[in-house]
Amino acid sequence: MLRSLFSTGAGTLVSRMLGLVRDVVIASVFGAGAGADTFFVAFRIPNFFRRLFGEGAFSLAFVPVLSEYRVSRSEDEVRDLVGHVAGTLGTVLLAVTAAGIVAAPGLVYVFASGFAAEPGQAALTASLLRLTFPYLLFISLTALAGGILNTWGRFAIPAVTPSLLNVAMIGAAIGLAPRFDEPVIALAWGVLAGGVAQLAFQLPFLWRIRMLVRPRLRLAHQGVRRIVRLIVPAVLGVSVAQVNLLVDTQFASYLAAGSISWLYYSDRLMEFPLGVFGIALATVALPSLAARHAEGDPSGFHATLDWALRLVLVIAVPAALGLGILSIPMIATVFQYGEFGEHAVRMSALSLSAYAGGLVAFVGVKVLAAGFHARQQMRIPVRIAVVAMVANVVLNFLLVGPFAHAGLALASSLAAWLNAGLLLRSLRKEGFYRPRPGWGKLFAQTGIAAAAIALVLAWFQGAPEVWMARAALDRAVWLGALVAAGAIAWFGALAAAGLRPRDLLRPMAGPPGPSV
């Protein structure tokens, strides 16, 4: 399973690196002002629905059922399930896409009512949305294909697929933007082209595993009905997270121009370790957990979940410390070009530091929720997500006044910690997770390593003014040296404290610790 994690992480790393290049290009060409805010809202709306129909709720309901079919049914029955699911999902997506294009002006108001004060900005956002909304159809079908490939152990292909979107958007920003009176329109065309390319890329790989089948529409199909029953609470759970995003965007649309962009750019850096490791780990763990559950192997289920959570601690903690301590060096190195100036660097760094405080929780939620989804238990994580959503809204009201856009990021981080804590408590209460021995020792080891990496990074990073005054190459070299020094400090301290790589290579055998 570690090999699958590495292949998924490597594919995701390629995609995220191209995503950073994409964001650097966008920041350089469009900066962090009203024009960039307009595109980010138009791009965020189809991504909101993507979480419902794509790799969000749909995948959480589909992968466990597909894994069970693969374990207990014939290949013909599995192919029949895939065909009926594809037909049903495609029909629903066509209807939703058509409705979204027609209702574009209203959707803009729902997601960013602050734009109403600038009629030209609201109208431009609606025009962009009519181009970006069909992306929902293609990316959701891509997620269906990716769920199938992941279940068959082909993790690298779905992980690298998002690279095509990044390539399309980079090409649009550089090659098409100068040809438009409103340059941001080129980015919307890039999104649409990227969605088509991602779906087309995965089809040959489905054909190789004999899962490229003709879509069929029959809601009475047993597997489809099971997925529909599971997807309703899953939609509610994913919707909660997306409502948080909607609320954050609404708040930010009333703040200073550029606030949406500052949050976007800082979120993109936070999403880098979350995507490369957190989502990759949850992607690999979900089919394995579902298979252990289908096989009636509770010991293997507990061991797999425990292994994943240990990796969360060892990988996410140094990433969070690096993002928090090096927020200005990272923002300056990645984005400070062209229209993206020093003020944008400082503002984006504030929200990045706030997001970094919740990175361990954001990653932990992905893995902990997989423990429920693999067992086709959707209601508990939904209830917990609702509690976290309410907390996030309350925290937004409390923190946006004193901390502006950074308060919105801080509220998200605090709500994520609440979500993770409640998920862990419920997993143990329901008997779905029994920790293996050794967690106390691991906490002590990571605590020592955290102190080491924090001291190294804080001592050597230098003043913010120095970073922003450096040439681009100098910034990149110094940041690379700091990241390398932090990695050496972290893993060196872990080794000195007695943690060996072999301790994390695979789920631990043997009985779990006592139940609670």
Side-chain angles (χ1 to χ4, degrees):
M1 191 159 59
L2 192 62
R3 181 179 297 176
S4 298
L5 177 59
F6 283 149
S7 64
T8 305
T12 306
L13 178 61
V14 171
S15 173
R16 296 288 169 157
M17 290 297 292
L18 281 170
L20 280 181
V21 173
R22 178 195 80 187
D23 292 331
V24 168
V25 170
I26 293 174
S28 178
V29 174
F30 301 101
D37 286 356
T38 298
F39 169 73
F40 292 139
V41 170
F43 189 33
R44 182 165 290 173
I45 293 173
N47 274 310
F48 175 93
F49 291 99
R50 164 192 177 184
R51 299 293 182 181
L52 305 184
F53 296 103
E55 74 273 19
F58 171 76
S59 292
L60 297 178
F62 174 59
V63 170
V65 174
L66 180 63
S67 298
E68 182 182 320
Y69 262 65
R70 195 183 179 209
V71 168
S72 60
R73 306 290 184 96
S74 68
E75 182 178 329
D76 287 341
E77 289 176 298
V78 175
R79 286 169 56 84
D80 186 61
L81 171 68
V82 170
H84 282 91
V85 171
T88 303
L89 179 64
T91 302
V92 172
L93 289 170
L94 280 172
V96 172
T97 299
I101 292 172
V102 172
L107 287 173
V108 171
Y109 185 80
V110 169
F111 277 77
S113 58
F115 284 4
E118 297 290 339
Q121 189 175 22
L124 177 59
T125 307
S127 297
L128 295 177
L129 182 57
R130 291 192 173 99
L131 291 173
T132 60
F133 208 92
Y135 171 74
L136 169 66
L137 170 64
F138 298 106
I139 195 59
S140 298
L141 292 175
T142 300
L144 167 64
I148 297 168
L149 291 169
N150 285 335
T151 303
W152 262 251
R154 297 342 191 244
F155 293 102
I157 300 305
V160 78
T161 297
S163 299
L164 298 174
L165 172 67
N166 297 325
V167 170
M169 293 180 67
I170 291 169
I174 295 175
L176 289 182
R179 302 174 183 271
F180 287 90
D181 293 334
E182 291 286 353
V184 291
I185 294 176
L187 291 177
W189 280 109
V191 170
L192 181 56
V196 175
Q198 288 179 94
L199 178 59
F201 176 69
Q202 292 198 353
L203 296 182
F205 297 98
L206 288 181
W207 180 80
R208 290 183 185 179
I209 62 172
R210 292 176 47 81
M211 286 296 133
L212 185 59
V213 299
R214 179 172 59 86
R216 305 180 183 93
L217 178 61
R218 182 162 66 90
L219 292 174
H221 186 279
Q222 181 187 23
V224 172
R225 285 192 283 114
R226 285 184 59 193
I227 292 170
V228 169
R229 284 197 299 269
L230 292 171
I231 206 172
V232 171
V235 165
L236 293 175
V238 175
S239 296
V240 167
Q242 297 308 300
V243 167
N244 283 337
L245 182 61
L246 170 61
V247 171
D248 289 351
T249 304
Q250 282 283 17
F251 271 97
S253 72
Y254 287 94
L255 298 177
S259 294
I260 292 175
S261 298
W262 301 330
L263 286 168
Y264 172 83
Y265 289 121
S266 56
D267 176 70
R268 290 296 297 168
L269 282 185
M270 192 273 297
E271 287 279 344
F272 191 84
L274 178 59
V276 170
F277 174 71
I279 296 175
L281 180 57
T283 298
V284 171
L286 179 58
S288 180
L289 289 169
R292 301 293 81 75
H293 178 62
E295 293 166 357
D297 180 13
S299 179
F301 188 96
H302 295 311
T304 299
L305 188 54
D306 190 83
W307 168 79
L309 290 173
R310 288 171 189 262
L311 284 180
V312 169
L313 193 64
V314 171
I315 302 299
V317 168
L321 289 169
L323 289 174
I325 296 171
L326 302 179
S327 58
I328 283 184
M330 285 188 174
I331 292 289
T333 301
V334 176
F335 296 122
Q336 192 184 347
Y337 308 98
E339 297 299 316
F340 199 95
E342 291 188 8
H343 179 66
V345 170
R346 292 182 182 277
M347 294 298 100
S348 299
L350 289 175
S351 47
L352 177 57
S353 296
Y355 277 134
L359 179 61
V360 176
F362 288 127
V363 176
V365 167
K366 299 290 184 185
V367 174
L368 292 165
F372 289 101
H373 300 146
R375 306 176 71 94
Q376 301 177 31
Q377 297 279 344
M378 304 294 188
R379 298 184 183 278
I380 294 175
V382 168
R383 290 199 297 266
I384 291 173
V386 170
V387 173
M389 178 196 71
V390 173
N392 187 66
V393 173
V394 172
L395 289 167
N396 276 340
F397 277 105
L398 294 176
L399 298 176
V400 72
F403 302 113
H405 70 288
L408 302 178
L410 181 59
S412 297
S413 293
L414 294 174
W417 278 108
L418 176 63
N419 195 347
L422 292 176
L423 283 171
L424 178 60
R425 187 184 71 172
S426 295
L427 279 170
R428 299 196 64 183
K429 181 179 178 181
E430 297 293 328
F432 297 163
Y433 171 51
R434 295 177 64 188
R436 263 46 186 173
W439 272 97
K441 181 179 179 181
L442 182 62
F443 279 126
Q445 291 166 330
T446 52
I448 292 170
I453 190 175
L455 286 172
V456 168
L457 295 182
W459 182 266
F460 290 108
Q461 71 166 316
E465 295 78 10
V466 174
W467 276 96
M468 291 184 285
R470 281 177 172 147
L473 181 59
D474 289 342
R475 289 199 300 258
V477 170
W478 276 104
L479 181 61
L482 280 171
V483 170
I488 292 170
W490 174 259
F491 289 108
L494 284 181
L499 183 67
R500 299 293 180 263
R502 65 174 179 269
D503 298 335
L504 300 170
L505 286 179
R506 60 182 62 86
M508 294 174 61
S515 179
V516 174

